Amino acid sequence: MMFLYPVLLSLISSGALAATCPSLPSSPQLQSITTLPDPFSWHPLQHSGRVTTLSDWQCRQSHISTLLQQLELGTKPPAPSSVTSTFSQNKLSITASNAGKTISFTATITYPSSGAGPYPAMIAYGGLSIPLPPGVATITFDNSQIAQQNDQSSRGKGLFYTLYGADHPAGAMMAWAWATSLIIDRLEATPAARINTARIGVTGCSRNGKGALVAGAFDSRIALTVPQESGTGGSGCWRLAAASEGAPQDVQTAGEIVQENVWFSAAFNTYANDVDRPPFDHHMLAGLIAPRGLVSIDNAGYQWLGPWSSLGCMGTARLIWQAMGVPDRMGYSMSTDHPHCSFPDQQRGDLFAFINRFMLGMEVNTTVQKNYAGIAFDSKPWVNWQVPTLT
Ligand SMILES: *[C@@H]1O[C@H](CO)[C@@H](O)[C@H](O)[C@H]1NC(C)=O
């Protein structure tokens, strides 16, 4: 008996969960799924029954993460063998080495005008295009330098690929997510930077909004994820974009997005014209963030973004937070028409509720489900599964 206790404790602390979480088959058999896939099924693992407990769900989330990396986004490498940083004059300069290659990049911190820190901080891909309440720092870095995003010729170009090789499977968004995690690692190790790493947010608009969603999904230290007007490939679902395209709208589809740029892994080319095949859609990408904070900021003004798809996809994602008993940690705001990436006053309160709660630690009501444009989405044809109460 004396002996068992320490063994049990060490099993728990070393992640004994892993022992009860079956591995996915290396080449899973994928079924065609014409509705939004059930996040709480085990498919493509051969397994009877559905996810019913929080610990099942943790296991299932790890499967969803693996599948998204294999089939859509490419793998996110862990921090490389050597990473160092210096901090001076608001600049965090990071040097990373791997297998004889070395790269350097810089993150710039803009501090709030008052207080002493450590401050919550919003990492803003491509610069900040949302308002922030007082007291929140902003961190920017050149994500397009980490992985280029000009067009198809950008495949394998950028500092990430200098380090890991041009044929690394990560698409540009996964490379940015990797860099974001490196920045958070170095902020944790740099108290002089005065950033509270338990209160980090990530945002970006349009293509960078898709990227913000991916960053939030693949680093559990990010307290709040704010994709802004991220459209197809972000807050939109592949299947919903395909269904709304040409009916009569001109919505960007997966087939078009992989022609436009290199945000996704080359592995996704196989599925871009066969979107019923992946065992996930973007409600499940968003669901990797649960139970952390997510607020999706969308704009009804552009058919190309697929507003109906985003509304339906994120509404379905929220069922995952609901299953976990925390639906108010996932918010949604669809504005009326306004210029792309210019933040309208209409959505300010929706956004600030989330920042106040998850970054400034205020007790505020984040039950935010706003559809100012009044778009109708009927979930019945798309969601043919019940929401469990995970215990
Ligand atoms: C939070 O806000 C929602 C939506 O406005 C409202 O229905 C709910 O009653 C509020 N909850 C609390 C505890 O005030």
Side-chain angles (χ1 to χ4, degrees):
M1 288 305 265
M2 298 272 294
F3 176 69
L4 270 174
Y5 249 84
V7 170
L8 273 174
L9 286 174
S10 73
L11 271 177
I12 290 165
S13 64
S14 68
L17 179 73
T20 61
C21 184
S23 300
L24 282 170
S26 52
S27 306
Q29 294 297 306
L30 304 178
Q31 308 160 358
S32 176
I33 305 172
T34 57
T35 54
L36 295 177
D38 179 359
F40 305 104
S41 83
W42 291 97
H43 173 68
L45 182 76
Q46 295 297 316
H47 192 296
S48 57
R50 293 171 83 219
V51 170
T52 58
T53 65
L54 286 164
S55 98
D56 279 352
W57 173 239
Q58 219 178 327
C59 171
R60 172 68 175 152
Q61 274 179 315
S62 75
H63 290 181
I64 296 168
S65 167
T66 300
L67 292 162
L68 277 158
Q69 291 181 74
Q70 281 177 352
L71 307 179
E72 183 184 309
L73 297 163
T75 44
K76 182 185 177 192
S81 54
S82 162
V83 187
T84 59
S85 59
T86 59
F87 178 71
S88 159
Q89 307 259 334
N90 301 358
K91 290 195 187 302
L92 182 70
S93 301
I94 298 175
T95 298
S97 302
N98 184 63
K101 303 277 175 29
T102 296
I103 62 161
S104 296
F105 66 101
T106 299
T108 302
I109 306 174
T110 306
Y111 289 97
S113 53
S114 60
Y119 300 100
M122 186 67 84
I123 298 174
Y125 283 2
L128 191 68
S129 50
I130 55 172
L132 294 177
V136 180
T138 305
I139 300 176
T140 55
F141 73 103
D142 187 357
N143 54 305
S144 301
Q145 179 197 33
I146 301 296
Q148 289 183 18
Q149 53 169 336
N150 298 322
D151 52 35
Q152 282 197 22
S153 73
S154 296
R155 177 70 67 198
K157 291 187 184 158
L159 295 176
F160 176 90
Y161 303 100
T162 303
L163 206 58
Y164 291 110
D167 57 354
H168 192 283
M173 297 197 293
M174 201 51 114
W176 308 336
W178 167 89
T180 300
S181 294
L182 236 53
I183 291 170
I184 300 173
D185 289 347
R186 297 320 300 167
L187 290 171
E188 285 177 341
T190 311
R194 293 177 297 142
I195 296 300
N196 181 351
T197 52
R199 301 258 186 228
I200 297 273
V202 62
T203 191
C205 192
S206 202
R207 56 181 58 197
N208 291 321
K210 306 182 208 304
L213 183 63
V214 171
F218 288 91
D219 193 322
S220 61
R221 295 170 298 182
I222 293 172
L224 178 63
T225 303
V226 188
Q228 178 189 11
E229 301 186 36
S230 59
T232 300
S235 61
C237 277
W238 300 122
R239 287 164 176 84
L240 298 177
S244 48
E245 157 65 8
Q249 304 210 344
D250 184 16
V251 175
Q252 187 168 36
T253 61
E256 289 166 331
I257 217 168
V258 300
Q259 298 288 321
E260 182 183 351
N261 221 305
V262 295
W263 298 309
F264 299 90
S265 175
F268 188 55
N269 292 345
T270 311
Y271 303 101
N273 291 305
D274 191 10
V275 293
D276 293 345
R277 191 66 54 182
F280 50 74
D281 212 318
H282 272 210
H283 61 306
M284 289 161 64
L285 170 64
L288 294 182
I289 296 170
R292 290 174 288 123
L294 167 65
V295 60
S296 183
I297 301 292
D298 284 309
N299 181 355
Y302 294 81
Q303 289 184 5
W304 185 247
L305 294 172
W308 175 84
S309 163
S310 288
L311 178 78
C313 191
M314 292 297 99
T316 306
R318 191 165 185 263
L319 301 175
I320 294 170
W321 276 260
Q322 183 184 318
M324 298 185 82
V326 288
D328 64 334
R329 290 168 162 259
M330 194 283 183
Y332 191 78
S333 183
M334 169 68 77
S335 75
T336 51
D337 181 18
H338 64 87
H340 190 39
C341 298
S342 71
F343 193 92
D345 280 348
Q346 188 180 51
Q347 293 178 304
R348 195 181 173 92
D350 305 338
L351 171 67
F352 277 25
F354 274 81
I355 296 175
N356 285 340
R357 177 171 173 188
F358 291 100
M359 298 183 68
L360 290 162
M362 292 162 61
E363 282 183 30
V364 290
N365 186 342
T366 52
T367 300
V368 173
Q369 290 295 299
K370 295 288 174 60
N371 179 3
Y372 300 103
I375 295 171
F377 180 83
D378 178 7
S379 64
K380 279 195 203 75
W382 292 102
V383 180
N384 62 9
W385 35 270
Q386 300 294 311
V387 183
T389 299
L390 304 177
T391 52

